[in-house]
C-alpha cells in the first residue's frame, strides 16, 4: 500500500507548484509541443514518400510495414509509459523516449534496405509512443487542471496541424532534398526538446518498488499487433474473410481476453481495471474514440476524393485540407481558453458531436459538380467539430483522477482512442472500397472495371470524358454515403457526452503524497528524494 506518512516530495527548485515560474513553464511547454509534433508527424509523414522510398530500397512488397511498424510500437508503448511515469517520475522517461526516437531517426536516415528502414520505424515508435503521452501528463505535473485547458488546446491544434503537415512535408522532402530528411529533420528538433526538458523541467523523482506487468504487456502486445494488422491488411494485403485476417481476428479476441485476465491479477497493471469504474473516464474515452473515427476516416480518404473527383494533384489535395485544420485550431484554442476562464466544459463535447454530425451530413451531399469553395467550407465545419472536444475530453479524464495517476489515465484514454481510430479507419476503408468496386463493375463497359486497382488521378484525367465521368461519379457515390453512415455513431457519442458529469476543474496541484480514492497501485513506497 502507499505509504501515506511519507513526506511531500519537493519540486526541484524547492518552490510550491503554485509559485512555479511562468517563464519556465512556457519553456517546458515549448519542448513538449516539439515532442508532440515529432510523434504525430511521424505517423503520417511517410504516406506520400513511400512510393519513392520503396522503389529506391527495392521493397514494394514490404511497403505497408513502414507505417505499421511505427503504429504498432507506439500504441503498445503508450500505456507502459503512462504507468511507469506515475510510478517512477516522468522527466527521465521523457528524455529517454526522445533519445530512443532520435536513435530510430538516425537509423532510418542511414538505412540502405527495407529491413533497416522498418527496424528504424519500430524504434521510432518505441520512443514516439511516450512522447505524446508523457507530454500530456507532464503538463498535469506543472499546471493545475483549470489552467491546463489552455495548454491542452494548443496541443490539440499542434496535433491537428501535424495530421495534414505530415504528408505535405513528406512529399516536399521527396521531391526536393530527399526523403531521408523526413528522418534528419527530427534530430535538431529532438535535441532542442531534450535540452529544454533537461534544463527547465522540474519534477519529483520517486523511490519506488516497481512490479512490472510482464504478462499484461505480452498479451497487450499480441492483441494490439493483431488489431492493427487487421485494420492495415484487411481488404488491401489480404481479402476480408481470408485465413490470415480470420487468424488475426481470433488472436485479437483471445489475447484481449487474456490481457483483461492479466490486468485483474497483476500487482501493478499497466491499465488498471479500476479506471473503468470511473464514469467520466469511460464516457470521455468512448466519445473520443468516435471523434477519432470521424477525423481519421476523413483525413484518410478525402485527399483521394479530391484527387479523383476534383482533379487536383497530391500536393494540392493536402493543401485543400487546410480549412479543416483552421477550423480545428480555432475551436481547440477557443475552448481551452473558455474552460480555463469559466470552468465550464461539458457543453463542448456535446457541441462537438452536433457539429461533427452536421459536417458529415454536409459531406454526404457532395457531388462531382459541387463547387470547391463549398467543399472547403464543409471541411472547416468538420475541423471545428473535432477541435471542440478532442483535447477537452482528455482534460475530463485527467480531472477525474488524482494527479499521481494522471499518466495511467491519460495513456489508457489515448490507447483506446488509437485502437478505435485504427479500426474505424479500416471500417471506412472497407465500406468505401466495397462500394467503389461494385459501382465500377456496374457502370463501366465490360471488362474495364478489372483495371480499377490501377486507376491513378493522372490516368483518370487522361481518359475520354465519358469514361472519366463514370469513374469520377463512382468515387463520389462510393465515399459520400460512408460519411452519412457514421452519423448514428455520433448520435451515440452525443448521448455519452450528455451523461458526462461536470466535475469542477481543480485550481491547484495536489500534494505529491496525496492518494486518490481509486488508487490502483500497490507496494509503492515514496521518499522525499528529489532531483
Amino acid at each position: 500500500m502507499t505509504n501515506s506518512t511519507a513526506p511531500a516530495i519537493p519540486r526541484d527548485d524547492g518552490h510550491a507548484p503554485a509559485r512555479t515560474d511562468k517563464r519556465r513553464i512556457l519553456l517546458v511547454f515549448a519542448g513538449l509541443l516539439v515532442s508532440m509534433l515529432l510523434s504525430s508527424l511521424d505517423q503520417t509523414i511517410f504516406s506520400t514518400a513511400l512510393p519513392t522510398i520503396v522503389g529506391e530500397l527495392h521493397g514494394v512488397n514490404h511497403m505497408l510495414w513502414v507505417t505499421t511498424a511505427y503504429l504498432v510500437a507506439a500504441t503498445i508503448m503508450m500505456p507502459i509509459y503512462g504507468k511507469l511515469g506515475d510510478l517512477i517520475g516522468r522527466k527521465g522517461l521523457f528524455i529517454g523516449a526522445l533519445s530512443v526516437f532520435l536513435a530510430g531517426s538516425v537509423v532510418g536516415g542511414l538505412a540502405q534496405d527495407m529491413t533497416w528502414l522498418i527496424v528504424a520505424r519500430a524504434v521510432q515508435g518505441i520512443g514516439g509512443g511516450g512522447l505524446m503521452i508523457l507530454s500530456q501528463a507532464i503538463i498535469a505535473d506543472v499546471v493545475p487542471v483549470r489552467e491546463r485547458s489552455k495548454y491542452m488546446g494548443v496541443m490539440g491544434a499542434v496535433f491537428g496541424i501535424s495530421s495534414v503537415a505530415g504528408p505535405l512535408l513528406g512529399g516536399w522532402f521527396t521531391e526536393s532534398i530527399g526523403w531521408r530528411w523526413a528522418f534528419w529533420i527530427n534530430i535538431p528538433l529532438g535535441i532542442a526538446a531534450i535540452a529544454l526538458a533537461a534544463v527547465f523541467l522540474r519534477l519529483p523523482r520517486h523511490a519506488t518498488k516497481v512490479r512490472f506487468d510482464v504478462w499484461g504487456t505480452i498479451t497487450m502486445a499480441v492483441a494490439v499487433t493483431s488489431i492493427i494488422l487487421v485494420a492495415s491488411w484487411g481488404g488491401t494485403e489480404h481479402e476480408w474473410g481470408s485465413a490470415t485476417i480470420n487468424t488475426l481476428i481470433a488472436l485479437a479476441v483471445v489475447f484481449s481476453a487474456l490481457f483483461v485476465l492479466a490486468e485483474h491479477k497483476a500487482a501493478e497493471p499497466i491499465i488498471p481495471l479500476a479506471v473503468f469504474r470511473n464514469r467520466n473516464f469511460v464516457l470521455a474515452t468512448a466519445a473520443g474514440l468516435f471523434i477519432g473515427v470521424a477525423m481519421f476516416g476523413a483525413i484518410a480518404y478525402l485527399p483521394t476524393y479530391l484527387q479523383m473527383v476534383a482533379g487536383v494533384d497530391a500536393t494540392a489535395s493536402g493543401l485543400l485540407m487546410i480549412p479543416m485544420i483552421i477550423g480545428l485550431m480555432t475551436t481547440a484554442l477557443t475552448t481551452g481558453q473558455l474552460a480555463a476562464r469559466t470552468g465550464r466544459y461539458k457543453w463542448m463535447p456535446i457541441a462537438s458531436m452536433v457539429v461533427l454530425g452536421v459536417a458529415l451530413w454536409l459531406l454526404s451531399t457532395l457531388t462531382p459538380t459541387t463547387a470547391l469553395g463549398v467543399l472547403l467550407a464543409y471541411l472547416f465545419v468538420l475541423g471545428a467539430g473535432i477541435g471542440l472536444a478532442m483535447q477537452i475530453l482528455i482534460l475530463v479524464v485527467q480531472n477525474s483522477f488524482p494527479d499521481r495517476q494522471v499518466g495511467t489515465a491519460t495513456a489508457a484514454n489515448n490507447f483506446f482512442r488509437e485502437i478505435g481510430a485504427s479500426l474505424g479507419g479500416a471500417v471506412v476503408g472497407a465500406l468505401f472500397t466495397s462500394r467503389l468496386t461494385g459501382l465500377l463493375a456496374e457502370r463501366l463497359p465490360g471488362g474495364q472495371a478489372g483495371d480499377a486497382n490501377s486507376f491513378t488521378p493522372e490516368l483518370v484525367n487522361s481518359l475520354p470524358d465519358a469514361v472519366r465521368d463514370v469513374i469520377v461519379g463512382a468515387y463520389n457515390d462510393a465515399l459520400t454515403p460512408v460519411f452519412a453512415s457514421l452519423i448514428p455513431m455520433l448520435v451515440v457519442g452525443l448521448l455519452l457526452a450528455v451523461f458526462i458529469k461536470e466535475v469542477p476543474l481543480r485550481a491547484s496541484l495536489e500534494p505529491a503524497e496525496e492518494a486518490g480514492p481509486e488508487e490502483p497501485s500497490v507496494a509503492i513506497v515514496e521518499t522525499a528524494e528529489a532531483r
Side-chain angles (χ1 to χ4, degrees):
M1 296 178 61
T2 304
N3 184 0
S4 60
T5 62
I9 302 175
R11 304 278 165 169
D12 291 356
D13 57 4
H15 297 289
R19 298 194 298 273
T20 301
D21 181 67
K22 186 174 182 179
R23 175 176 171 272
R24 182 167 62 81
I25 290 179
L26 291 177
L27 288 169
V28 169
F29 186 57
L32 300 182
L33 287 181
V34 170
S35 68
M36 279 196 70
L37 181 66
L38 292 175
S39 177
S40 52
L41 269 180
D42 270 63
Q43 292 189 41
T44 58
I45 197 169
F46 291 97
S47 59
T48 48
L50 270 181
T52 300
I53 294 173
V54 299
E56 182 177 322
L57 299 182
H58 310 292
V60 175
N61 55 327
H62 300 302
M63 181 169 64
L64 196 61
W65 279 105
V66 177
T67 302
T68 304
Y70 182 90
L71 185 58
V72 168
T75 306
I76 291 171
M77 292 303 298
M78 281 181 182
I80 296 174
Y81 278 112
K83 183 65 176 182
L84 288 178
D86 284 346
L87 292 178
I88 65 176
R90 278 177 267 275
K91 180 174 180 177
L93 279 178
F94 180 67
I95 294 175
L98 274 167
S99 300
V100 171
F101 183 85
L102 293 185
S105 298
V106 171
V107 174
L110 298 173
Q112 298 300 312
D113 57 47
M114 285 297 291
T115 299
W116 279 107
L117 182 67
I118 293 168
V119 168
R121 291 291 286 160
V123 174
Q124 277 191 309
I126 291 173
L131 300 185
M132 185 81 67
I133 299 305
L134 293 173
S135 296
Q136 294 173 343
I138 285 171
I139 280 295
D141 285 330
V142 297
V143 180
V145 181
R146 181 72 174 259
E147 290 297 309
R148 197 181 307 159
S149 60
K150 295 186 292 187
Y151 296 89
M152 299 294 279
V154 177
M155 285 182 164
V158 167
F159 179 78
I161 291 171
S162 66
S163 301
V164 172
L168 290 175
L169 275 177
W172 182 76
F173 285 142
T174 302
E175 295 172 359
S176 55
I177 57 179
W179 62 264
R180 294 181 188 274
W181 278 94
F183 287 108
W184 296 130
I185 192 63
N186 296 332
I187 307 302
L189 294 175
I191 290 174
I194 289 174
L196 289 171
V199 175
F200 297 105
L201 186 56
R202 302 289 187 264
L203 299 176
R205 184 176 63 186
H206 310 280
T208 302
K209 180 180 179 181
V210 178
R211 300 179 183 178
F212 191 70
D213 184 9
V214 176
W215 287 112
T217 301
I218 293 173
T219 52
M220 177 194 66
V222 175
V224 166
T225 303
S226 301
I227 290 170
I228 291 178
L229 289 181
V230 168
S232 301
W233 286 355
T236 55
E237 295 290 308
H238 301 277
E239 294 292 329
W240 291 106
S242 66
T244 299
I245 296 299
N246 288 341
T247 300
L248 287 171
I249 292 174
L251 285 173
V253 172
V254 170
F255 278 87
S256 294
L258 291 175
F259 173 64
V260 172
L261 181 62
E263 298 307 270
H264 178 70
K265 294 184 176 181
E268 290 288 353
I270 53 177
I271 300 182
L273 300 183
V275 300
F276 295 100
R277 294 201 296 266
N278 186 295
R279 184 178 76 178
N280 273 7
F281 172 84
V282 174
L283 295 175
T285 299
L289 184 153
F290 293 151
I291 292 174
V293 171
M295 177 179 180
F296 288 103
I299 289 175
Y301 295 99
L302 276 173
T304 299
Y305 178 89
L306 289 167
Q307 291 177 55
M308 287 294 193
V309 178
V312 300
D313 60 29
T315 301
S317 70
L319 291 172
L320 290 174
M321 298 293 289
I322 289 178
M324 186 184 83
I325 301 308
I326 295 174
L328 189 154
M329 289 178 60
T330 301
T331 53
L333 295 174
T334 302
T335 53
Q337 293 291 331
L338 286 175
R341 186 177 305 168
T342 67
R344 307 303 298 269
Y345 56 86
K346 180 176 177 177
W347 66 268
M348 297 173 186
I350 294 175
S352 172
M353 296 300 171
V354 174
V355 174
L356 274 174
V358 171
L360 290 176
W361 174 76
L362 291 173
L363 290 172
S364 73
T365 66
L366 292 173
T367 69
T369 59
T370 300
L372 190 58
V374 173
L375 172 56
L376 297 183
Y378 293 172
L379 291 179
F380 178 87
V381 176
L382 179 70
I386 295 169
L388 274 167
M390 186 169 63
Q391 293 300 111
I392 291 296
L393 288 171
I394 296 175
L395 195 73
V396 170
V397 168
Q398 292 185 349
N399 193 51
S400 301
F401 294 90
D403 287 344
R404 64 187 298 126
Q405 298 174 23
V406 75
T408 299
T410 302
N413 175 270
N414 280 268
F415 173 80
F416 288 110
R417 185 170 65 179
E418 193 77 26
I419 294 294
S422 297
L423 289 176
V427 170
V428 171
L431 291 172
F432 171 54
T433 304
S434 175
R435 289 182 58 84
L436 179 62
T437 302
L439 289 173
L440 289 174
E442 175 186 324
R443 297 178 182 181
L444 283 178
Q448 294 189 38
D451 298 327
N453 288 332
S454 302
F455 286 154
T456 63
E458 294 80 9
L459 176 61
V460 171
N461 287 332
S462 68
L463 293 172
D465 289 347
V467 179
R468 183 176 67 249
D469 290 345
V470 170
I471 296 173
V472 167
Y475 268 86
N476 182 87
D477 296 345
L479 184 58
T480 53
V482 175
F483 293 130
S485 70
L486 296 176
I487 295 176
M489 175 191 69
L490 293 177
V491 173
V492 176
L494 174 63
L495 295 176
L496 294 176
V498 167
F499 286 99
I500 289 176
K501 183 179 180 181
E502 192 172 66
V503 180
L505 298 175
R506 297 191 296 274
S508 62
L509 291 171
E510 297 174 352
E513 79 279 11
E514 183 176 327
E518 295 183 40
E519 173 65 48
S521 302
V522 297
I524 301 177
V525 179
E526 296 176 350
T527 72
E529 181 182 6
R531 294 189 191 282

